[in-house]
Amino acid sequence: MTTPRIRPISVDDAGEVLTLQRAAFVQEALIYNAVDMPPLTQTLDEVRAELEENLGCVALEGERIVGCVRARVDGDLLLIGRIAIAPDQQGSGLGTSLLTAVEERGREAGATTAELFTGSLSEANIRLYEREGYEESERVPGDDGTEQVFLRKKL
């Protein structure tokens, strides 16, 4: 197996990103017993709009997008969101590679800190983020008894 190539995300990727996102977030939906979570209900038009001015990246194996991450800069803060890895690629290091790439794009755009969030039941995600140098900065209670866990890292 070849190492996936990483490149900036574009609006032209919207359809494949949406398909990947839905496949990747099924496991999260099962963990939270929530089939109506935003990554599963987002429309193609919404994804296109998000990608218009985005610092995110995609990972490609051949021509297939096997991972993606979205990000945007707000002042000196890089807001990272919707990291999605194809189910058959999870655990292969793609999450780490995509985080590294998007952090570099954020630094180039003037960000000094990166922030992302995940749900409190998403233990594998939290382990990945902590392994990559992110530290918990806040927990926000949700309506379902879980919490949104916000993590930050100096770039």
Side-chain angles (χ1 to χ4, degrees):
M1 180 152 88
T2 61
T3 302
R5 167 175 66 92
I6 295 177
R7 67 159 170 77
I9 203 166
S10 79
V11 174
D12 293 338
D13 298 323
E16 200 168 352
V17 163
L18 181 60
T19 300
L20 170 65
Q21 172 180 301
R22 288 182 176 165
F25 276 86
V26 166
Q27 189 60 41
E28 291 290 297
L30 292 172
I31 291 170
Y32 291 93
N33 194 28
V35 295
D36 60 346
M37 60 187 348
L40 297 178
T41 60
Q42 190 172 30
T43 68
L44 181 57
D45 286 340
E46 290 169 337
V47 173
R48 277 192 191 110
E50 273 185 17
L51 298 184
E52 285 196 14
E53 291 185 24
N54 203 286
L55 293 177
C57 298
V58 293
L60 297 119
E61 190 173 84
E63 296 303 310
R64 176 185 172 218
I65 295 178
V66 293
C68 61
V69 59
R70 270 110 101 186
R72 62 184 178 81
V73 172
D74 183 6
D76 64 353
L77 189 61
L78 176 66
L79 301 169
I80 300 173
R82 298 268 163 89
I83 299 171
I85 309 297
D88 66 323
Q89 301 288 317
Q90 292 176 3
S92 68
L94 270 181
T96 297
S97 297
L98 285 166
L99 275 175
T100 299
V102 81
E103 289 168 1
E104 180 58 32
R105 294 197 78 205
R107 271 192 291 280
E108 290 170 0
T112 59
T113 303
E115 180 180 76
L116 46 74
F117 72 90
T118 191
S120 57
L121 301 181
S122 302
E123 295 171 359
N125 294 347
I126 293 170
R127 281 193 306 273
L128 166 66
Y129 303 147
E130 289 177 340
R131 191 169 58 242
E132 294 306 311
Y134 286 80
E135 296 178 357
E136 187 175 321
S137 60
E138 182 180 11
R139 283 188 179 240
V140 178
D143 297 338
D144 61 358
T146 65
E147 299 168 310
Q148 285 186 329
V149 181
F150 288 80
L151 300 102
R152 284 189 169 205
K153 174 184 177 178
K154 288 281 181 204
L155 297 177

